[in-house]
Amino acid sequence: MVALVANSLFLAGRPDPTSALPVQSATSRSLIHEQGDRRISTVLHDHAGRLWVGTWRGLVQVDPHSGQVVSVINLPNEIITAMTLDHYGNIWVGTGAGLYQVNPSSRQIKNVAIKLPSNRVLSLEIDRAGYVWVGTENGITRIGPHNAEIYARMLDIPGTSANTMQIDHHGHIWVGTLDGIFKFNPGTAEIMAVVPYVAGQIVQSMTIDPAGKIWAGTPRNVILVNPNTNEAIARINDVTGEDILALASDKNGELWIGTQNRLHRTNTYNGKIDGSIQDLPSSRISSLYISDRKLWIGTHAGLARIDINVEEFDMENNRASLVYAVAD
């Protein structure tokens, strides 16, 4: 199918619901502890510009220039699955066995002693009012940023598991699950739409581009969702059959696609792959994070970085720089 996207011709097709992968143990594809797993699961900068790296071996602050470890936060559970920064500068850290709040300046840790639908936290998002939305394998909870008081529970969500969450330009939250995508209003905790043609597919990564379009990664493709009609309108044919583990969109609208085998850059206007990045710590991508014209690439062996200044970026000659290697 040929679809019109952003007034440009995008060569792609609707996802075929009849060929979707069966819903299986994907919860917990990202939470089954593998012996010696060194993946970088999440990365962020705090308000002071410090770089925090969440791994399956703990949370560390890394000097972005030297790659040296500045400090280690000793959480009760070392498998970091998600991180987000609240309006007050605190880091919320989701793990395989609980949720924690970390003050990045004092390094103080608070075990958020609330009853979540599951202690396996898969995703985190901060809404415009500053509330923390905690996505687990059994539903979603909204909590206050100061006292961790529960303000809403969404237990019976389509697809059960909130694998990934993104907040759009209108303040609505999109959730990728074991059975597609839905959108909800964080003010009322009411589901606004369930995206058709994605049902039956595991959604394990999402990003929102500067135009507000939703991009979702599944174990077999990248799907484009129109946020105004709530419909899946296209897919990227060049990555069909690849396991899409991470997505990121830069301010120029380029889409970065991390898979189990490589990192692609995609032109979102024609759906074509521009090329792939070489010299990564591992070919298996686990997370992508864009900040200050740099793409931080989490892999199963360490963290790399590339500059993505569009005026200077040369896809064929650009090589990733190793920032931090997770020790054996």
Side-chain angles (χ1 to χ4, degrees):
M1 178 176 288
V2 177
L4 285 175
V5 177
N7 300 318
S8 301
L9 194 63
F10 181 62
L11 303 177
R14 276 189 188 275
D16 179 3
T18 64
S19 62
L21 289 180
V23 174
Q24 42 191 331
S25 60
T27 291
S28 309
R29 216 151 75 125
S30 59
L31 285 175
I32 295 172
H33 188 60
E34 300 173 11
Q35 186 67 30
D37 198 313
R38 297 184 293 156
R39 76 182 65 182
I40 305 288
S41 52
T42 180
V43 180
L44 65 75
H45 281 102
D46 66 22
H47 288 172
R50 292 170 292 227
L51 180 67
W52 294 91
V53 181
T55 80
W56 274 35
R57 296 186 176 186
L59 176 62
V60 296
Q61 181 193 346
V62 174
D63 185 304
H65 305 291
S66 68
Q68 297 296 310
V69 173
V70 177
S71 64
V72 177
I73 304 295
N74 294 312
L75 296 171
N77 187 277
E78 65 181 5
I79 301 178
I80 310 301
T81 53
M83 286 196 298
T84 192
L85 194 68
D86 70 23
H87 294 176
Y88 307 97
N90 298 307
I91 302 172
W92 292 80
V93 184
T95 75
L99 176 67
Y100 304 91
Q101 184 190 59
V102 176
N103 182 312
S105 297
S106 68
R107 309 301 196 268
Q108 181 182 5
I109 303 168
K110 291 183 179 179
N111 184 351
V112 181
I114 59 174
K115 188 172 178 55
L116 295 171
S118 166
N119 282 332
R120 288 185 169 182
V121 177
L122 303 179
S123 56
L124 293 167
E125 188 59 84
I126 306 292
D127 68 20
R128 289 180 173 180
Y131 291 99
V132 184
W133 289 90
V134 186
T136 76
E137 63 179 353
N138 289 321
I140 304 171
T141 299
R142 180 177 68 179
I143 63 176
H146 296 299
N147 54 13
E149 182 178 348
I150 294 174
Y151 287 90
R153 292 184 186 273
M154 300 176 66
L155 303 181
D156 189 22
I157 64 172
T160 306
S161 176
N163 295 336
T164 177
M165 293 192 290
Q166 289 283 316
I167 187 165
D168 69 16
H169 296 357
H170 302 289
H172 303 137
I173 298 179
W174 296 76
V175 185
T177 75
L178 297 179
D179 190 19
I181 303 171
F182 70 90
K183 176 174 70 173
F184 73 91
N185 183 333
T188 61
E190 294 180 352
I191 293 175
M192 303 171 65
V194 177
V195 178
Y197 299 106
V198 189
Q201 300 191 61
I202 300 163
V203 176
Q204 52 198 15
S205 56
M206 285 197 302
T207 191
I208 298 178
D209 70 19
K213 299 187 296 293
I214 314 299
W215 299 88
T218 78
R220 63 190 306 271
N221 218 313
V222 175
I223 298 169
L224 172 63
V225 177
N226 184 322
N228 298 316
T229 64
N230 305 314
E231 292 183 328
I233 58 174
R235 64 184 177 191
I236 297 180
N237 289 334
D238 285 353
V239 296
T240 296
E242 295 194 49
D243 190 2
I244 312 301
L245 302 175
L247 294 170
S249 176
D250 63 35
K251 67 178 182 180
N252 301 304
E254 299 293 343
L255 180 68
W256 296 88
I257 303 173
T259 78
Q260 62 181 347
N261 296 314
R262 69 200 74 195
L263 173 64
H264 301 296
R265 189 181 74 165
T266 306
N267 184 316
T268 57
Y269 291 98
N270 60 23
K272 296 298 181 183
I273 300 294
D274 290 336
S276 300
I277 295 295
Q278 308 299 319
D279 298 340
L280 295 171
S282 165
S283 61
R284 184 168 180 135
I285 311 301
S286 48
S287 61
L288 296 171
Y289 172 69
I290 293 176
S291 176
D292 192 28
R293 297 187 179 182
K294 293 180 177 59
L295 175 67
W296 301 85
I297 308 153
T299 75
H300 275 232
L303 180 69
R305 180 190 65 217
I306 58 174
D307 293 326
I308 55 174
N309 189 327
V310 71
E311 289 81 12
E312 301 175 359
F313 192 84
D314 181 350
M315 194 72 194
E316 292 186 1
N317 297 316
N318 200 291
R319 295 290 184 271
S321 301
L322 177 66
V323 176
Y324 170 65
V326 182
D328 285 319

